[in-house]
Amino acid sequence: MIEHTILITGGAGFIGSHLTRFFVKKYPQYKIINLDKLTYAGNLENLRDVENEANYVFVKGDICDVNLLNELFERNKFSAIIHCAAESHVDRSIADPLAFLQTNIIGTASLLLTAKKYWNMDYSDKVFYHISTDEVYGSLNDTGFFTEETRYDPRSPYSASKASSDHIVRAFYHTYNLPIKISNCSNNYGPFHFPEKLIPLCIHNILNNKPLPVYGKGENVRDWLFVEDHVRAIDTIFHKGKVGETYNIGGHNEWTNITLVKELCRQMDEKLGREKGESKKLITYVKDRAGHDLRYAIDATKLKNELGWVPSLQFEEGLSKTIDWYLSNELWLNDVTSGQYKNYYEEQYHKR
Ligand code: NAD
Ligand code: TYD
């Protein structure tokens, strides 16, 4: 007996696929419809283990396609939307900002308008849950943390597009009473992470003895959270979070990029049976990212105190699990790094 039909957008991407798998398996009484455009970042291989489950349906399509959204809402009585679809990589947003504004802003607004139209003021047991990022808060210096009260100060086209979508989601709550929730999470890592992002890129390059491109001096700080911990937080907020509220998600796990890359090298030397210090020789300092945010750090006290969520995994352990996954899934890695990725890599790194 189906209790809820939930639309997950971007379910073939990194976080979306972990979330989709988690919901499909944990809640057989929910029907999960995954709407994904399958951009370079979307990959149905990420969901092979659940693709035949009775409570799972995949729909290929664009969240900006209002006709398709109307059709989907006509055919299904969605009680919830968990909106993960986005263009998500800062470097790509520097090269091509319009794609980010289109999907992250217009796509989010299209979903909001369609939900408003079909829910037609009957908001009981409905929720529009928008998945966002800590990058909307801008950049910290050496001290302090982002709380839910921190003023938005996005600095990249990516973070500006996410900040804009957060504002529009909140506007629909205040103006039309649409029942929304938002969470802003720190940097995720784990299996199925597309190798344009720092951790999987370094794993891939260490494996292939290629340079490890560290931007600037490697002193920028990110607060890393294992993707399955993020998914548990989303599950908690989805079921127990208050409508209209925002929750920050993070693991109090700050690393400078250079220390992180060295830790990856250390663990991979051990796992690959390489001489101690060998992979570290691949570290190459390259031209800094334009407008590179110095430090992100999340204060997740509200989520802990109000809903009882805390991260489950220590970083070294999470990193080890992640490396093991990539080592056992070289086919996946080779597949996503062939074709288009090669052109991106040339463009992005050979100019630096
Ligand atoms: P991702 O790039 O791995 O996946 C994005 C997915 O969205 C892909 O499957 C892609 O095909 C799909 N998509 C893109 N444009 C689409 C469109 N127009 N219509 C339908 N589908 C489309 O991203 P991710 O890292 O999994 O991030 C998911 C969400 O979480 C994003 O909203 C991102 O801003 C947010 N977030 C990410 C992180 C992180 O560290 N990765 C941290 C905090 C928040
Ligand atoms: P990234 O994984 O792109 O996430 P975000 O920009 O959303 O934080 O980058 C993480 C950090 O690593 C960021 O400070 C930029 C840096 N970085 C490098 O030094 N080299 C690289 O090749 C990449 C992709 C990122």
Side-chain angles (χ1 to χ4, degrees):
M1 172 68 180
I2 293 298
E3 283 173 16
H4 288 297
T5 303
I6 302 175
L7 176 65
I8 294 184
T9 68
F14 168 47
I15 297 168
S17 62
H18 284 276
L19 178 72
T20 300
R21 173 179 305 99
F22 183 94
F23 267 61
V24 166
K25 287 191 171 167
K26 183 170 176 189
Y27 301 111
Q29 73 277 28
Y30 296 177
K31 182 174 172 189
I32 305 297
I33 301 195
N34 168 15
L35 170 64
D36 197 297
K37 187 179 173 183
L38 298 183
T39 67
Y40 76 94
N43 187 348
L44 290 178
E45 287 300 320
N46 300 359
L47 289 165
R48 274 280 171 256
D49 55 334
V50 293
E51 67 183 6
N52 294 320
E53 296 296 337
N55 63 336
Y56 172 70
V57 176
F58 173 70
V59 178
K60 182 173 186 305
D62 191 329
I63 55 167
C64 302
D65 180 348
V66 175
N67 290 334
L68 171 66
L69 295 182
N70 282 333
E71 238 176 72
L72 279 176
F73 273 78
E74 298 266 340
R75 270 193 272 129
N76 299 282
K77 293 233 165 316
F78 292 121
S79 52
I81 298 165
I82 310 182
H83 175 34
C84 295
E87 288 292 341
S88 70
H89 189 40
V90 174
D91 291 322
R92 288 189 194 248
S93 84
I94 295 168
D96 179 15
L98 266 187
F100 284 68
L101 309 189
Q102 180 66 24
T103 283
N104 299 359
I105 304 176
I106 303 299
T108 302
S110 305
L111 276 168
L112 285 162
L113 277 167
T114 314
K116 174 178 167 289
K117 174 173 153 189
Y118 283 88
W119 287 347
N120 194 21
M121 302 302 283
D122 175 11
Y123 293 149
S124 54
D125 294 327
K126 306 281 198 308
V127 66
F128 186 108
Y129 183 174
H130 178 59
I131 304 301
S132 193
T133 166
D134 61 353
E135 303 192 25
V136 298
Y137 297 121
S139 180
L140 292 164
N141 287 319
D142 293 343
T143 55
F145 296 92
F146 297 135
T147 73
E148 290 80 0
E149 311 304 323
T150 303
R151 198 170 149 264
Y152 275 31
D153 185 20
R155 286 140 182 268
S156 73
Y158 164 65
S159 54
S161 68
K162 292 296 292 187
S164 175
S165 63
D166 289 11
H167 289 316
I168 296 166
V169 172
R170 281 194 196 98
F172 269 66
Y173 171 66
H174 292 294
T175 309
Y176 308 114
N177 296 320
L178 198 84
I180 64 101
K181 297 178 185 182
I182 299 180
S183 55
N184 297 81
C185 189
S186 61
N187 285 61
N188 284 216
Y189 69 99
F192 300 112
H193 204 184
F194 194 81
E196 64 188 352
K197 306 273 169 62
L198 181 69
I199 291 180
L201 184 140
C202 286
I203 295 174
H204 179 241
N205 286 12
I206 293 171
L207 261 174
N208 292 288
N209 275 306
K210 284 172 65 177
L212 306 177
V214 173
Y215 296 167
K217 293 182 180 155
E219 285 166 355
N220 303 65
V221 173
R222 297 292 182 264
D223 179 356
W224 294 95
L225 183 71
F226 193 62
V227 61
E228 289 174 8
D229 275 332
H230 184 189
V231 165
R232 281 194 310 102
I234 295 174
D235 182 32
T236 304
I237 294 165
F238 179 76
H239 287 99
K240 299 201 271 176
K242 271 203 216 134
V243 164
E245 293 284 316
T246 292
Y247 298 88
N248 279 357
I249 310 172
H252 271 296
N253 179 42
E254 293 179 48
W255 287 67
T256 62
N257 292 337
I258 188 63
T259 318
L260 166 55
V261 172
K262 284 181 180 163
E263 173 62 16
L264 274 172
C265 291
R266 187 191 68 74
Q267 288 205 21
M268 286 199 61
D269 279 348
E270 257 177 46
K271 289 179 196 285
L272 296 171
R274 289 184 183 169
E275 213 171 279
K276 211 171 155 192
E278 195 175 329
S279 300
K280 238 171 45 179
K281 293 183 199 147
L282 298 168
I283 291 175
T284 309
Y285 292 93
V286 298
K287 185 166 162 239
D288 208 353
R289 172 185 280 173
H292 196 172
D293 289 338
L294 179 65
R295 175 172 166 257
Y296 303 146
I298 278 275
D299 178 346
T301 309
K302 175 177 173 182
L303 184 55
K304 181 178 170 204
N305 289 351
E306 291 186 13
L307 305 183
W309 175 90
V310 285
S312 69
L313 221 69
Q314 292 298 314
F315 192 50
E316 285 81 351
E317 190 190 346
L319 218 47
S320 169
K321 266 179 91 161
T322 303
I323 296 168
D324 288 345
W325 185 86
Y326 281 95
L327 294 181
S328 323
N329 288 276
E330 274 198 71
L331 257 181
W332 182 93
L333 193 56
N334 292 338
D335 196 40
V336 299
T337 49
S338 62
Q340 271 185 10
Y341 177 80
K342 281 204 172 119
N343 301 335
Y344 164 79
Y345 198 85
E346 286 288 315
E347 272 292 307
Q348 184 60 32
Y349 291 98
H350 285 172
K351 289 184 304 202
R352 284 179 185 270

